[in-house]
Amino acid sequence: MYADRVLSGMRPTGNLHLGHYHGVLKNWINLQHEYECLFFAADWHALTTHYDSPGDIEGNVWQMVIDWLAAGVDPSKATLFIQSRVIEHAELHLLLSMMTPLGWLERVPTYKDQQEKLTEKDLSTYGFLGYPLLMSADILIYRANRVPVGEDQVPHLEFAREVARRFNHMYGKEPGYQEKAEAAVKKLGGKKAKLYEELRTRFQQAGDDAALESAKALLGETQNLSLGDKERLYGYLEGGGKMILTEPQALLTEASKMPGLDGQKMSKSYGNTISLREDPDNVSKKIRTMPTDPARGRRTDPGSPDKCPVWQFHLVYSTPEVRAWVQQGCTTAGIGCIECKQPVIEGVLKELAPIQERARALTEDPDMVKNIIADGCDKARDLARETMRDVRESMGLSFG
Ligand code: TRP
Ligand code: SF4
């Protein structure tokens, strides 16, 4: 099995809401059981668009981290950290900027789109243009091969892949490459080293793809090699240089089924959110005042659930029996909208109760949250430093 490493980042937006929970956090919580996971607060990214009004970035980071933990992201399974606390991201971003064609950045679709959309902001800055490259550095510095992102971020991931490819092509043939690869083979140990060499020869001399796959699997299982040596041996198999940076793959996150209170996407800027720490009375009030199918002007007018945002909530929170009751009751005016909303209110409150309980405990223990993050930053930094050693060396900057 390959050692898959997952990395994802979230901009610090302060308190998270149900859209984040159903759209991102539940996915992270599942992934943490299956993969090695790194999750970080992308605080520098917030500055690419809000450089003139940073607000309370720090406070927003801590509130966001509390929500991650309260929702069930488990620091004993996933490494949680803050981007700007692992300064190596900035170094990789700088070094990558030397070899990234300007045209590649200008062609990233979000660049022009956002500039046109957010007209109240001046986004003709160096940092905003470089945003996808900073994101590439975030990913490549951990040699993460899986990146859970929404549809909107897929072009950014494709960009990161191209940067990695260009980098490996340009700097992958390190001096002394042959000797280093041979030394790494030795480190595999007698039997494995011999098998690796045999498979490599079979692939290189006879084009045996099955041999290539077996050799890759062999490397994947190997525990006692540094990541650097491992990448070297992956590259050596195919005769190319060392794969210094790993091309990441998108792990496409299904679009959230959780809409906002008005049926649009749930987003702070639309004012249609239920925050994870929303007071229960407020939750009830917000749902009770949600718009419904306008056809149901009077209690006796029938309606259709597909024209009603409350129905979308039932799809997230209700059992098939309750949904059948809604369909029947709505279309025959057998139930009223207030009645229909009651199970949704209960569902949301039930989901939020344990989250709010944990958030309260974490809020009362800020040191615990700080320690979790300090620990995560240390772990992330160790991984980042390992990559940076190889990157510097391959660009002629090791000063050893
Ligand atoms: N660009 C992402 C967003 O706005 C956040 C982000 C920054 C990210 N760096 C990343 C996501 C690296 C995944 C991997 O949502
Ligand atoms: Fe919406 Fe339920 Fe009212 Fe039908 S009965 S319009 S689904 S709230």
Side-chain angles (χ1 to χ4, degrees):
M1 211 183 72
Y2 286 96
D4 280 318
R5 184 178 284 166
V6 166
L7 170 109
S8 198
M10 202 189 278
R11 287 167 177 246
T13 49
N15 277 225
L16 302 184
H17 52 62
L18 284 175
H20 296 115
Y21 180 67
H22 288 275
V24 184
L25 292 177
K26 279 196 347 202
N27 188 39
W28 284 12
I29 292 161
N30 287 331
L31 289 169
Q32 71 188 355
H33 300 293
E34 282 176 59
Y35 299 101
E36 177 189 357
C37 287
L38 294 141
F39 300 129
F40 72 98
D43 55 348
W44 281 336
H45 283 275
L47 289 171
T48 61
T49 47
H50 289 71
Y51 60 89
D52 61 347
S53 55
D56 182 13
I57 292 185
E58 250 182 76
N60 286 343
V61 166
W62 293 123
Q63 292 311 316
M64 179 171 80
V65 170
I66 287 177
D67 282 342
W68 289 358
L69 296 167
V73 178
D74 180 351
S76 71
K77 295 214 168 4
T79 301
L80 309 181
F81 67 99
I82 300 171
Q83 181 185 32
S84 70
R85 301 278 90 198
V86 184
I87 204 82
E88 285 77 3
H89 289 228
E91 186 187 5
L92 183 57
H93 177 230
L94 175 85
L95 292 177
L96 295 177
S97 79
M98 304 298 172
M99 47 135 289
T100 302
L102 207 45
W104 288 16
L105 283 163
E106 287 163 344
R107 276 196 298 275
V108 173
T110 45
Y111 178 59
K112 286 232 158 57
D113 287 0
Q114 296 259 61
Q115 272 191 336
E116 281 161 19
K117 238 194 260 160
L118 306 172
T119 41
E120 74 281 11
K121 283 196 183 126
D122 180 4
L123 291 180
S124 47
T125 56
Y126 185 49
F128 184 69
L129 176 67
Y131 171 96
L133 192 61
L134 180 57
M135 178 161 163
S136 303
D138 297 337
I139 300 167
L140 299 176
I141 204 161
Y142 299 107
R143 294 179 160 128
N145 53 350
R146 307 267 171 174
V147 181
V149 286
E151 196 77 60
D152 58 319
Q153 300 282 324
V154 170
H156 293 153
L157 219 68
E158 190 47 44
F159 176 86
R161 294 166 59 79
E162 278 167 16
V163 170
R165 227 174 283 147
R166 182 174 168 92
F167 188 96
N168 289 334
H169 186 72
M170 218 172 249
Y171 308 108
K173 289 260 181 353
E174 52 183 343
Y177 167 66
Q178 185 74 23
E179 294 74 45
K180 282 183 184 156
E182 283 165 12
V185 175
K186 283 220 184 75
K187 284 185 211 157
L188 281 172
K191 239 166 79 186
K192 273 194 174 171
K194 189 153 164 267
L195 180 58
Y196 175 90
E197 284 292 14
E198 265 171 35
L199 293 167
R200 177 171 175 266
T201 310
R202 256 170 49 207
F203 173 68
Q204 293 205 344
Q205 293 184 357
D208 182 343
D209 287 327
L212 176 64
E213 286 314 307
S214 309
K216 285 184 178 170
L218 174 82
L219 291 176
E221 287 160 9
T222 301
Q223 304 284 345
N224 62 333
L225 282 187
S226 70
L227 264 180
D229 271 341
K230 230 183 215 184
E231 294 299 341
R232 201 168 270 130
L233 290 188
Y234 279 121
Y236 190 51
L237 275 177
E238 295 177 72
K242 183 181 164 195
M243 300 275 296
I244 301 163
L245 300 175
T246 304
E247 283 182 43
Q249 303 250 331
L251 256 181
L252 203 58
T253 314
E254 233 183 283
S256 169
K257 295 191 180 69
M258 185 78 226
L261 291 162
D262 55 0
Q264 298 186 78
K265 182 183 153 83
M266 189 178 280
S267 160
K268 234 183 214 168
S269 53
Y270 297 152
N272 61 358
T273 63
I274 294 177
S275 107
L276 293 184
R277 285 187 256 169
E278 194 90 40
D279 175 78
D281 287 342
N282 252 346
V283 172
S284 308
K285 198 159 84 205
K286 281 188 168 179
I287 297 173
R288 258 188 283 129
T289 52
M290 268 177 82
T292 60
D293 178 1
R296 300 214 62 185
R298 272 166 301 187
R299 168 68 181 75
T300 48
D301 296 331
S304 31
D306 8 313
K307 299 200 181 110
C308 175
V310 178
W311 173 245
Q312 301 301 315
F313 276 61
H314 277 293
L315 290 177
V316 175
Y317 290 99
S318 298
T319 60
E321 292 73 35
V322 173
R323 285 186 213 159
W325 169 78
V326 172
Q327 285 289 345
Q328 163 74 16
C330 180
T331 50
T332 59
I335 59 171
C337 291
I338 292 289
E339 217 178 331
C340 176
K341 287 169 171 177
Q342 198 51 40
V344 170
I345 294 175
E346 282 159 25
V348 173
L349 289 177
K350 194 164 159 223
E351 179 172 74
L352 290 182
I355 296 178
Q356 298 196 346
E357 184 54 44
R358 285 193 291 266
R360 246 191 308 277
L362 290 159
T363 306
E364 279 164 21
D365 195 354
D367 283 347
M368 163 132 116
V369 178
K370 292 219 160 103
N371 286 336
I372 288 169
I373 291 295
D375 199 43
C377 290
D378 286 345
K379 282 193 200 142
R381 206 173 290 119
D382 284 345
L383 297 173
R385 284 188 176 153
E386 190 172 340
T387 308
M388 285 317 296
R389 262 198 299 279
D390 291 347
V391 166
R392 282 189 212 114
E393 188 180 270
S394 65
M395 291 180 94
L397 296 166
S398 57
F399 292 95

